[in-house]
Amino acid sequence: MGYKFSLVLNREITDEESVTLKGAIHADASFGDDRLPTDAEVPVTKIEFDDSVSPTLAEAIEAALEAVKVVPELTVPGLSVPAQPAGPATEATDTAETAETAAAPV
């Protein structure tokens, strides 16, 4: 499990652009149809990310935004980030293991 968030693009993307974006994204990503948050009449593409590669949420989002730049005239008018751990995904596991080891009888 990694950092989860979604980007709403400024328009629908073509199949060719989808292939280009998939090549530029270094995380698990799924593409879907959506509507522009500021104008429900405008169809757009939404990308759902699950990034288990980046060490922080900020770096995961930055990498996703950089990947979108490979397609000319494609922008990101929307970002959605659900509540999640603030640190690296492995940090919580390491802390839990340390707590279990410290609590174990000798």
Side-chain angles (χ1 to χ4, degrees), residues 6-10 36-37 45-47 65 75-80:
S6 61
L7 298 180
V8 175
L9 305 179
N10 63 315
L36 191 63
T45 297
K46 183 176 188 177
I47 308 174
L65 292 171
T75 61
V76 180
L79 165 67
S80 177

Side-chain angles (χ1 to χ4, degrees), residues 24-49:
I25 295 171
H26 302 291
D28 289 333
S30 59
F31 295 76
D33 297 330
D34 204 353
R35 296 288 174 177
L36 191 63
T38 56
D39 186 350
E41 304 265 330
V42 179
V44 296
T45 297
K46 183 176 188 177
I47 308 174
E48 299 280 345
F49 290 86

Side-chain angles (χ1 to χ4, degrees), residues 11-90:
R11 60 178 171 78
E12 286 183 305
I13 59 173
T14 65
D15 290 339
E16 183 178 299
E17 290 170 333
S18 175
V19 170
T20 301
L21 284 172
K22 287 177 184 176
I25 295 171
H26 302 291
D28 289 333
S30 59
F31 295 76
D33 297 330
D34 204 353
R35 296 288 174 177
L36 191 63
T38 56
D39 186 350
E41 304 265 330
V42 179
V44 296
T45 297
K46 183 176 188 177
I47 308 174
E48 299 280 345
F49 290 86
D50 187 353
D51 185 332
S52 57
V53 177
S54 298
T56 66
L57 175 60
E59 290 177 78
I61 293 170
E62 287 174 17
L65 292 171
E66 284 299 313
V68 169
K69 291 180 180 179
V70 301
V71 177
E73 299 180 20
L74 194 59
T75 61
V76 180
L79 165 67
S80 177
V81 183
Q84 55 198 301
T90 58

